[in-house]
Amino acid sequence: MTTEGRDAGRMRIVYIHQYYCNPTMTGGIRSYEQARRLVAQGHTVHVITTDITPGKRSLGWRRTDDDGIQVHWFSVPYSNNMSFARRLRAFAEFMVLAAARATALKADLVFATSTPLTVAVPGVVAAKLRRVPFVFEVRDLWPEVPIEMGVLRNPLARRLAGALADFAYRNAEEVIALSPGMAAGVTARRPGTRTTVIPNAADLALFDVAPDAVQRFRDEHRWLGDRPLIVYTGALGAVNGVEYLVRAARRMGETDPDAQVLIVGHGKEWDATKRLAAEYGLLDRTVHMWEKVPKADLPVILGAATMSSSFVRPVRALWDNSANKFFDALAASRPIAVNYGGWQADLLTGTGAGLVLDPYDAEQAGSVLAAHLRDELWLKQAREAAHRLAVERFSRDLLFAQFEAVLNRSAAGRKQGRRGPVGAGVTMENQSGTA
């Protein structure tokens, strides 16, 4: 790449994401989609990440090309089933490895996305040694969320986590937050931090599935056929409480015995959720559970769904999430049911794109779901509202333009010798649903 090209806005970007995924893998593809668009715009992107394939452990970096993205992988095993201490060790291991790798790469800007919060360390180190700007993305508000959930109880650990958050925000040219609540948390901790809200996005092209493919999916699964279907896709972790859906399904079945539930995902609550479905006599009858599938397989599943869903435990801090499953449902033009308040619930209430369920009463939720699953007028209006949200507020291309603008602004600000306090504040685009 020529100097003239870089002066025209093209950059060498080091992109640090400990748990990066492409569409052939299981997990969110925000980083992949943003990085490949950066490449299409003429930027050079190096992603630094981990290979968490179970049972696989090899020393040294390997490098792949994902649609022009140069991805650097180092094997650091990780899963939600690990002890807290073992997970901390994985975070620390990647922190050291990524710092060395990022520092060795030429860069005009360093970008790091959480979680974990420790990814800020290699980002700041590489940016300082390379004398380039650092941009930090907040996907979950730490340490506030684990503190409110009662996971992070040790006073010293809380102080260290808070200090790490301060370190990340203080050294960032700008912070990207995935929800208005996360942005408010950043500025509450460190006032004056320049923060922009860019939520997760709807991948419209990915979820544009042909009707005959959807029909084949329904025909291939005899338990489904033409019955109404609620799907949950994603993590079954401690924060999700997916057993809520199983309890709702039991009540739903009393009203509509044909209604089906499909849970697709993984996590430490998988076994407990499956046991509960079996205890209720629902497993493989009305509640079906599939292990995690590649992102590329989700579009046809959502295309076959009558309604999608997103759940968290009744903890106020979790309302500020920006769940991929929420935006995948919008991209598939499917109504979505949530059991929490906050900005996503406000969007559903304000547009009619879904349902907001009682966070504590799963049986009442089952009655509400049953009442809507065969309401064709409501379903039609909700699908249209979901589609409008996807196109007008949350399309990937629309939000990418805002993302690239942050990177360009940060690079230009550093060249002009200014940082944070100049023009600092929270920018909430219309896509956040709050402006």
Side-chain angles (χ1 to χ4, degrees):
M1 186 180 296
T2 65
T3 302
E4 180 181 355
R6 266 186 215 108
D7 289 342
R10 297 175 182 174
M11 293 182 285
R12 295 168 300 198
I13 300 168
V14 171
Y15 196 129
I16 305 172
H17 182 188
Q18 187 159 351
Y19 301 115
Y20 162 91
C21 293
N22 62 40
T24 67
M25 302 167 67
T26 301
I29 56 173
R30 176 184 177 93
S31 290
Y32 163 80
E33 291 291 350
Q34 291 183 159
R36 77 176 182 88
R37 283 171 170 79
L38 287 170
V39 171
Q41 291 295 100
H43 304 290
T44 301
V45 182
H46 288 264
V47 170
I48 299 174
T49 189
T50 56
D51 183 347
I52 61 171
T53 305
K56 182 177 180 180
R57 183 61 167 161
S58 59
L59 297 178
W61 292 93
R62 66 183 180 89
R63 183 165 159 175
T64 61
D65 184 311
D66 277 4
D67 297 319
I69 311 162
Q70 301 304 304
V71 187
H72 303 251
W73 309 82
F74 200 103
S75 178
V76 181
Y78 179 86
S79 80
N80 286 328
N81 294 321
M82 288 179 173
S83 67
F84 184 63
R86 182 64 187 86
R87 280 180 283 166
L88 286 179
R89 178 181 167 187
F91 299 158
E93 185 176 354
F94 178 74
M95 181 176 68
V96 173
L97 291 165
R101 191 66 166 185
T103 303
L105 295 170
K106 292 181 180 180
D108 299 303
L109 181 141
V110 178
F111 177 86
T113 180
S114 69
T115 57
L117 190 58
T118 46
V119 298
V121 174
V124 172
V125 169
K128 285 188 175 297
L129 290 176
R130 285 290 176 182
R131 298 183 180 180
V132 297
F134 170 64
V135 177
F136 186 56
E137 182 174 76
V138 177
R139 292 176 177 240
D140 290 299
L141 202 58
W142 277 64
E144 289 80 0
V145 168
I147 287 175
E148 191 166 333
M149 288 191 66
V151 176
L152 196 61
R153 299 176 181 176
N154 183 286
L156 177 59
R158 289 183 177 188
R159 286 197 296 272
L160 288 173
L164 185 55
D166 288 338
F167 170 80
Y169 306 156
R170 182 175 68 250
N171 286 284
E173 196 79 25
E174 188 160 343
V175 171
I176 294 174
L178 267 63
S179 75
M182 291 183 201
V186 171
T187 54
R189 176 170 290 279
R190 190 167 181 80
T193 301
R194 185 167 191 166
T195 307
T196 298
V197 177
I198 305 178
N200 272 318
D203 293 301
L204 292 162
L206 179 64
F207 283 87
D208 184 13
V209 181
D212 59 339
V214 172
Q215 190 59 53
R216 280 197 303 274
F217 178 89
R218 280 182 162 269
D219 291 343
E220 288 168 1
H221 298 92
R222 297 181 62 184
W223 54 266
L224 180 54
D226 60 357
R227 298 177 179 88
L229 174 66
I230 297 177
V231 302
Y232 174 88
T233 61
L236 281 77
V239 304
N240 306 106
V242 181
E243 74 273 5
Y244 178 98
L245 179 56
V246 176
R247 298 181 192 280
R250 182 168 66 164
R251 170 59 66 88
M252 186 169 58
E254 295 172 1
T255 303
D256 188 346
D258 277 346
Q260 301 291 305
V261 170
L262 175 60
I263 298 170
V264 183
H266 63 105
K268 66 188 303 180
E269 298 296 322
W270 170 272
D271 290 336
T273 304
K274 192 171 184 177
R275 279 197 302 271
L276 183 64
E279 288 171 12
Y280 288 166
L282 305 177
L283 188 63
D284 297 328
R285 292 180 57 248
T286 58
V287 174
H288 309 267
M289 296 184 66
W290 293 357
E291 289 283 359
K292 53 188 178 181
V293 301
K295 183 77 173 188
D297 290 351
L298 289 183
V300 72
I301 295 174
L302 282 176
T306 310
M307 191 183 306
S308 187
S309 61
S310 177
F311 304 111
V312 296
R313 295 196 183 279
V315 176
R316 175 60 185 82
L318 297 176
W319 291 9
D320 296 325
N321 77 84
S322 186
N324 282 305
K325 60 183 73 67
F326 183 94
F327 301 95
D328 289 347
L330 299 184
S333 299
R334 289 297 177 266
I336 184 165
V338 305
N339 69 341
Y340 48 86
W343 72 289
Q344 291 167 99
D346 292 344
L347 277 171
L348 298 181
T349 301
T351 65
L355 301 171
V356 180
L357 307 172
D358 187 296
Y360 298 98
D361 194 340
E363 292 194 352
Q364 182 193 43
S367 298
V368 172
L369 291 169
H372 287 82
L373 277 177
R374 293 188 188 271
D375 185 336
E376 292 302 329
L377 177 59
W378 180 85
L379 288 170
K380 178 178 181 294
Q381 293 172 339
R383 286 193 293 265
E384 291 171 349
H387 181 73
R388 283 194 299 272
L389 280 174
V391 172
E392 297 173 6
R393 299 193 186 187
F394 298 109
S395 78
R396 181 73 70 182
D397 289 339
L398 183 66
L399 297 183
F400 169 74
Q402 297 169 18
F403 172 73
E404 188 184 24
V406 170
L407 302 192
N408 286 333
R409 182 166 62 234
S410 298
R414 175 57 64 92
K415 288 178 181 177
Q416 295 168 13
R418 62 173 175 80
R419 290 190 73 254
V422 179
V426 177
T427 302
M428 296 190 187
E429 307 290 349
N430 289 336
Q431 286 70 23
S432 71
T434 62

Coordinates of all heavy atoms in Angstrom, one line a residue, residues 365-410:
A365 N -45.8 -15.8 30.9 CA -45.2 -15.6 29.6 C -45.7 -16.7 28.6 O -45.9 -16.4 27.4 CB -43.7 -15.7 29.7
G366 N -45.8 -17.9 29.1 CA -46.3 -19.0 28.2 C -47.7 -18.7 27.7 O -48.0 -19.0 26.5
S367 N -48.6 -18.2 28.5 CA -49.9 -17.8 28.1 C -49.9 -16.7 27.0 O -50.6 -16.7 26.0 CB -50.8 -17.4 29.3 OG -50.9 -18.4 30.2
V368 N -49.0 -15.7 27.3 CA -48.9 -14.6 26.3 C -48.4 -15.1 25.0 O -48.9 -14.7 23.9 CB -48.0 -13.5 26.9 CG1 -47.7 -12.4 25.8 CG2 -48.6 -12.9 28.1
L369 N -47.4 -16.0 25.0 CA -46.8 -16.5 23.8 C -47.9 -17.3 23.0 O -48.0 -17.2 21.8 CB -45.6 -17.4 24.1 CG -44.4 -16.7 24.6 CD1 -43.3 -17.7 25.1 CD2 -43.7 -15.8 23.5
A370 N -48.6 -18.2 23.7 CA -49.6 -19.0 23.1 C -50.7 -18.1 22.4 O -51.2 -18.5 21.3 CB -50.3 -19.9 24.1
A371 N -51.0 -17.0 23.0 CA -52.0 -16.1 22.5 C -51.6 -15.4 21.2 O -52.4 -15.0 20.4 CB -52.4 -15.0 23.5
H372 N -50.3 -15.3 21.0 CA -49.8 -14.6 19.8 C -49.3 -15.5 18.7 O -49.2 -15.1 17.5 CB -48.6 -13.7 20.2 CG -49.1 -12.5 20.9 ND1 -49.4 -12.5 22.3 CD2 -49.3 -11.2 20.5 CE1 -49.7 -11.3 22.7 NE2 -49.7 -10.5 21.7
L373 N -49.0 -16.8 19.0 CA -48.4 -17.7 18.0 C -49.3 -18.0 16.8 O -48.8 -18.3 15.7 CB -48.0 -19.0 18.6 CG -46.6 -19.0 19.3 CD1 -46.4 -20.3 20.0 CD2 -45.5 -18.7 18.4
R374 N -50.6 -17.9 17.0 CA -51.5 -18.1 15.9 C -52.4 -16.9 15.5 O -53.4 -17.0 14.8 CB -52.5 -19.3 16.2 CG -51.7 -20.6 16.4 CD -52.7 -21.8 16.5 NE -52.0 -23.1 16.8 CZ -51.6 -23.9 15.9 NH1 -51.7 -23.6 14.6 NH2 -51.0 -25.1 16.2
D375 N -51.9 -15.8 16.0 CA -52.6 -14.5 15.7 C -52.0 -14.0 14.4 O -51.0 -13.2 14.4 CB -52.5 -13.5 16.8 CG -53.3 -12.2 16.6 OD1 -53.5 -11.9 15.4 OD2 -53.5 -11.5 17.6
E376 N -52.6 -14.4 13.2 CA -51.9 -14.1 12.0 C -51.8 -12.6 11.7 O -50.8 -12.1 11.1 CB -52.7 -14.7 10.8 CG -52.7 -16.3 10.8 CD -51.2 -16.8 10.7 OE1 -50.4 -16.1 10.1 OE2 -50.9 -17.9 11.3
L377 N -52.8 -11.8 12.1 CA -52.7 -10.3 11.9 C -51.6 -9.8 12.7 O -50.7 -9.0 12.2 CB -54.0 -9.6 12.3 CG -54.0 -8.1 12.1 CD1 -53.7 -7.7 10.7 CD2 -55.4 -7.5 12.6
W378 N -51.5 -10.2 14.0 CA -50.4 -9.6 14.8 C -49.0 -10.1 14.3 O -48.1 -9.3 14.2 CB -50.5 -10.1 16.3 CG -49.4 -9.6 17.1 CD1 -49.4 -8.4 17.8 CD2 -48.2 -10.3 17.4 NE1 -48.2 -8.3 18.4 CE2 -47.4 -9.4 18.2 CE3 -47.6 -11.5 17.1 CZ2 -46.1 -9.7 18.7 CZ3 -46.3 -11.8 17.5 CH2 -45.6 -11.0 18.4
L379 N -48.9 -11.4 13.9 CA -47.7 -11.9 13.3 C -47.2 -11.1 12.1 O -46.1 -10.7 11.9 CB -47.8 -13.4 13.0 CG -47.9 -14.3 14.2 CD1 -48.2 -15.7 13.8 CD2 -46.5 -14.3 15.0
K380 N -48.2 -10.8 11.2 CA -47.9 -10.1 10.0 C -47.4 -8.7 10.3 O -46.3 -8.2 9.8 CB -49.1 -10.0 9.1 CG -48.9 -9.2 7.8 CD -50.2 -9.2 6.9 CE -50.0 -8.5 5.6 NZ -49.8 -7.0 5.9
Q381 N -48.0 -8.0 11.2 CA -47.6 -6.6 11.6 C -46.3 -6.6 12.3 O -45.4 -5.8 12.0 CB -48.7 -6.0 12.4 CG -50.0 -5.7 11.7 CD -51.1 -5.3 12.6 OE1 -51.1 -5.5 13.8 NE2 -52.1 -4.7 12.0
A382 N -46.0 -7.7 13.1 CA -44.8 -7.7 13.9 C -43.6 -8.0 12.9 O -42.5 -7.5 13.1 CB -44.9 -8.8 15.0
R383 N -43.8 -8.9 11.9 CA -42.8 -9.2 11.0 C -42.4 -8.0 10.2 O -41.2 -7.7 9.9 CB -43.2 -10.3 10.0 CG -43.2 -11.7 10.6 CD -43.4 -12.8 9.6 NE -44.7 -12.8 9.0 CZ -45.7 -13.5 9.4 NH1 -45.6 -14.4 10.4 NH2 -46.9 -13.5 8.7
E384 N -43.4 -7.2 9.7 CA -43.2 -6.0 9.0 C -42.4 -5.0 9.8 O -41.5 -4.3 9.3 CB -44.5 -5.4 8.5 CG -45.2 -6.2 7.4 CD -46.6 -5.8 7.1 OE1 -47.1 -4.9 7.9 OE2 -47.2 -6.3 6.1
A385 N -42.8 -4.9 11.1 CA -42.1 -3.9 12.0 C -40.6 -4.4 12.2 O -39.7 -3.5 12.2 CB -42.8 -3.8 13.3
A386 N -40.4 -5.7 12.4 CA -39.0 -6.2 12.5 C -38.2 -5.9 11.3 O -37.0 -5.4 11.4 CB -39.1 -7.7 12.8
H387 N -38.8 -6.1 10.1 CA -38.1 -5.8 8.9 C -37.7 -4.3 8.8 O -36.6 -3.9 8.4 CB -38.9 -6.2 7.7 CG -38.3 -6.0 6.4 ND1 -37.2 -6.8 5.9 CD2 -38.5 -5.0 5.4 CE1 -36.8 -6.3 4.8 NE2 -37.6 -5.3 4.4
R388 N -38.6 -3.4 9.1 CA -38.3 -2.0 9.1 C -37.2 -1.6 10.0 O -36.3 -0.8 9.6 CB -39.6 -1.2 9.4 CG -40.6 -1.1 8.3 CD -41.7 0.0 8.6 NE -42.4 -0.3 9.8 CZ -43.5 -1.0 9.9 NH1 -44.0 -1.6 8.8 NH2 -44.1 -1.2 11.1
L389 N -37.2 -2.2 11.2 CA -36.1 -1.9 12.1 C -34.8 -2.4 11.5 O -33.8 -1.7 11.6 CB -36.3 -2.6 13.5 CG -37.3 -2.0 14.5 CD1 -37.5 -2.9 15.7 CD2 -36.7 -0.6 14.9
A390 N -34.8 -3.5 10.9 CA -33.5 -4.1 10.4 C -33.0 -3.2 9.3 O -31.8 -2.9 9.2 CB -33.8 -5.5 9.8
V391 N -33.9 -2.7 8.4 CA -33.5 -2.0 7.2 C -33.1 -0.5 7.6 O -32.1 0.0 7.2 CB -34.6 -2.0 6.1 CG1 -34.2 -1.0 5.0 CG2 -34.8 -3.4 5.6
E392 N -34.0 0.1 8.4 CA -33.9 1.5 8.6 C -32.9 1.9 9.8 O -32.4 3.0 9.8 CB -35.3 2.1 8.9 CG -36.2 2.0 7.7 CD -37.6 2.4 8.0 OE1 -37.8 2.9 9.2 OE2 -38.5 2.2 7.2
R393 N -32.8 1.0 10.8 CA -31.9 1.4 11.9 C -30.7 0.5 12.2 O -29.7 1.0 12.7 CB -32.8 1.4 13.2 CG -34.0 2.3 13.2 CD -34.5 2.4 14.6 NE -35.8 3.2 14.6 CZ -36.4 3.6 15.8 NH1 -35.9 3.2 16.9 NH2 -37.5 4.3 15.7
F394 N -30.8 -0.8 11.8 CA -29.8 -1.7 12.3 C -29.1 -2.5 11.1 O -28.5 -3.5 11.4 CB -30.4 -2.7 13.3 CG -30.9 -2.0 14.5 CD1 -32.2 -1.9 14.8 CD2 -30.0 -1.4 15.4 CE1 -32.7 -1.3 15.9 CE2 -30.5 -0.8 16.6 CZ -31.8 -0.7 16.8
S395 N -29.2 -2.0 9.9 CA -28.5 -2.8 8.8 C -27.0 -2.7 9.0 O -26.5 -1.7 9.5 CB -28.9 -2.2 7.5 OG -28.2 -1.0 7.2
R396 N -26.3 -3.8 8.7 CA -24.9 -3.9 8.9 C -24.2 -2.8 8.2 O -23.2 -2.2 8.7 CB -24.4 -5.3 8.5 CG -22.9 -5.5 8.7 CD -22.5 -5.6 10.1 NE -23.0 -6.9 10.6 CZ -22.7 -7.3 11.9 NH1 -22.1 -6.5 12.7 NH2 -23.2 -8.5 12.3
D397 N -24.6 -2.5 6.9 CA -23.9 -1.5 6.1 C -24.0 -0.1 6.8 O -23.1 0.7 6.8 CB -24.4 -1.5 4.7 CG -24.0 -2.7 3.9 OD1 -23.0 -3.4 4.3 OD2 -24.7 -3.0 2.9
L398 N -25.2 0.2 7.3 CA -25.5 1.5 7.9 C -24.6 1.7 9.1 O -23.9 2.7 9.3 CB -26.9 1.6 8.3 CG -27.4 2.9 8.9 CD1 -27.3 4.0 7.9 CD2 -28.9 2.7 9.4
L399 N -24.5 0.6 10.0 CA -23.8 0.7 11.2 C -22.3 0.7 10.9 O -21.5 1.3 11.7 CB -24.2 -0.4 12.2 CG -25.6 -0.3 12.7 CD1 -25.9 -1.3 13.7 CD2 -25.9 1.1 13.3
F400 N -21.9 0.0 9.9 CA -20.4 0.0 9.5 C -20.0 1.3 9.2 O -18.8 1.7 9.5 CB -20.1 -1.0 8.4 CG -18.8 -0.8 7.8 CD1 -17.7 -1.3 8.5 CD2 -18.5 -0.1 6.7 CE1 -16.4 -1.1 8.1 CE2 -17.2 0.1 6.2 CZ -16.2 -0.4 6.9
A401 N -20.8 2.1 8.5 CA -20.4 3.4 8.1 C -20.1 4.3 9.3 O -19.1 5.1 9.3 CB -21.5 4.1 7.2
Q402 N -20.8 4.1 10.4 CA -20.6 4.8 11.6 C -19.3 4.3 12.3 O -18.5 5.1 12.9 CB -21.8 4.6 12.6 CG -23.1 5.2 12.0 CD -24.3 4.8 12.8 OE1 -24.1 4.4 14.0 NE2 -25.5 5.0 12.3
F403 N -19.1 3.0 12.2 CA -17.9 2.4 12.8 C -16.6 2.9 12.1 O -15.7 3.3 12.8 CB -18.0 0.9 12.7 CG -16.7 0.1 13.0 CD1 -16.4 0.0 14.4 CD2 -15.9 -0.5 12.1 CE1 -15.2 -0.7 14.7 CE2 -14.8 -1.2 12.4 CZ -14.4 -1.3 13.7
E404 N -16.6 2.9 10.8 CA -15.5 3.4 10.1 C -15.2 4.9 10.3 O -14.1 5.3 10.4 CB -15.6 3.2 8.6 CG -14.3 3.5 7.8 CD -14.5 3.4 6.3 OE1 -15.6 3.5 5.8 OE2 -13.4 3.2 5.6
A405 N -16.3 5.6 10.5 CA -16.2 7.1 10.8 C -15.5 7.3 12.2 O -14.6 8.2 12.3 CB -17.5 7.7 10.8
V406 N -15.7 6.4 13.1 CA -15.0 6.5 14.4 C -13.5 6.3 14.2 O -12.7 7.0 14.8 CB -15.6 5.5 15.4 CG1 -14.7 5.4 16.7 CG2 -17.0 5.9 15.8
L407 N -13.2 5.2 13.5 CA -11.8 4.9 13.3 C -11.1 6.1 12.5 O -10.0 6.5 12.9 CB -11.6 3.6 12.5 CG -12.2 2.4 13.1 CD1 -11.7 1.1 12.3 CD2 -11.9 2.2 14.6
N408 N -11.7 6.6 11.5 CA -11.1 7.7 10.7 C -11.0 8.9 11.6 O -10.0 9.7 11.6 CB -12.0 8.0 9.5 CG -11.8 7.0 8.4 OD1 -10.8 6.3 8.3 ND2 -12.9 6.8 7.6
R409 N -12.0 9.2 12.4 CA -12.0 10.4 13.3 C -10.9 10.3 14.3 O -10.2 11.2 14.6 CB -13.3 10.5 14.0 CG -13.5 11.7 14.9 CD -14.9 12.0 15.3 NE -15.5 10.9 16.0 CZ -16.7 10.2 15.6 NH1 -17.3 10.6 14.5 NH2 -17.2 9.3 16.4
S410 N -10.7 9.0 14.9 CA -9.6 8.8 15.9 C -8.3 9.0 15.3 O -7.4 9.6 15.9 CB -9.8 7.4 16.5 OG -11.0 7.3 17.1

